[in-house]
Amino acid sequence: MKRRTAVLISGRGSNMVALIAAAAAPDYPAEIVLVLSNIEDAAGLETARRAGIEAWAIPHTPFGRDRAAHEAELDAALRAADVELVCLAGYMRVLTPFLVGRWEGRMLNIHPSLLPSFPGLHTHQRALDAGVRLHGCSVHLVSAELDGGPIVAQAAVPVLPDDTEDTLAARVLVQEHRIYPLALAALAGGAVARPDAAAALANPCSAVG
């Protein structure tokens, strides 16, 4: 049976689209049943609705600085939909221990760098500034440490001499769309249930030109 999965977004949700497309396959082990956003007019909400998926916003602004109260609303919505797994796909909020603890081991995040390098924001420009020759993306289980949970999958791309932040980001995004569905399938299928299995999946790195 497919694992009921929710996707949290803050914008257009291009990784969400990749997950929805992958989940349409009959043999894919997860089903996208809910999309939530902290931004009321996030473009990805309408994209999800057009795909026949329940989608709505739970804006964070009415909660002020009480991030845990906002997350309690998110958690209630996830549980009301009988969600089993959660994917963060461009969800631009740092989670509190409340939501991380509620979904520990069942929540994935996609990050645009080869973790543990360049956690946080502005990863592509930071990679260029550092002069690295390889950059990429990582899917990891969410933990209390920002971008620090166990890595499930990674993909690498070369940094070219004439790269800009935008060109590098575009090349990395292609790989994000490739590995996020693979990582969700691994989690939904039980391949990352054991720490040793997670470690085995941590290095499907592939450099692409």
Side-chain angles (χ1 to χ4, degrees), residues 3-180:
R3 304 288 298 276
R4 293 176 63 84
T5 302
V7 183
L8 272 57
I9 63 172
S10 292
R12 62 192 175 98
S14 69
N15 273 300
M16 173 202 72
V17 172
L19 293 173
I20 290 172
D27 59 346
Y28 194 79
E31 175 187 9
I32 310 302
V33 298
L34 178 64
V35 173
L36 297 176
S37 178
N38 63 308
I39 304 297
E40 197 163 9
D41 59 352
L45 291 173
E46 185 55 35
T47 302
R49 292 177 188 128
R50 288 199 301 268
I53 297 168
E54 186 176 0
W56 73 84
I58 302 177
H60 64 274
T61 50
F63 295 89
R65 295 183 178 180
D66 194 346
R67 291 187 295 144
H70 176 246
E71 290 179 357
E73 293 293 318
L74 292 174
D75 183 65
L78 295 170
R79 294 179 183 278
D82 294 323
V83 166
E84 300 171 83
L85 304 174
V86 177
C87 291
L88 306 181
Y91 186 69
M92 302 303 290
R93 298 276 290 173
V94 176
L95 301 183
T96 75
F98 169 78
L99 199 64
V100 172
R102 296 283 273 182
W103 293 91
E104 186 174 6
R106 297 181 292 152
M107 181 183 285
L108 290 172
N109 182 50
I110 180 87
H111 183 74
S113 80
L114 292 173
L115 293 172
S117 297
F118 311 120
L121 301 175
H122 310 299
T123 59
H124 308 304
Q125 188 59 55
R126 288 160 62 199
L128 291 171
D129 293 344
V132 299
R133 298 182 64 182
L134 283 178
H135 187 45
C137 52
S138 307
V139 181
H140 64 94
L141 289 166
V142 176
S143 70
E145 180 185 357
L146 179 66
D147 298 326
I151 293 170
V152 178
Q154 292 183 306
V157 301
V159 179
L160 305 179
D162 59 348
D163 261 331
T164 66
E165 183 178 9
D166 289 342
T167 61
L168 184 55
R171 203 156 58 254
V172 170
L173 188 62
V174 172
Q175 296 305 309
E176 291 181 35
H177 295 167
R178 181 178 69 84
I179 68 167
Y180 210 171

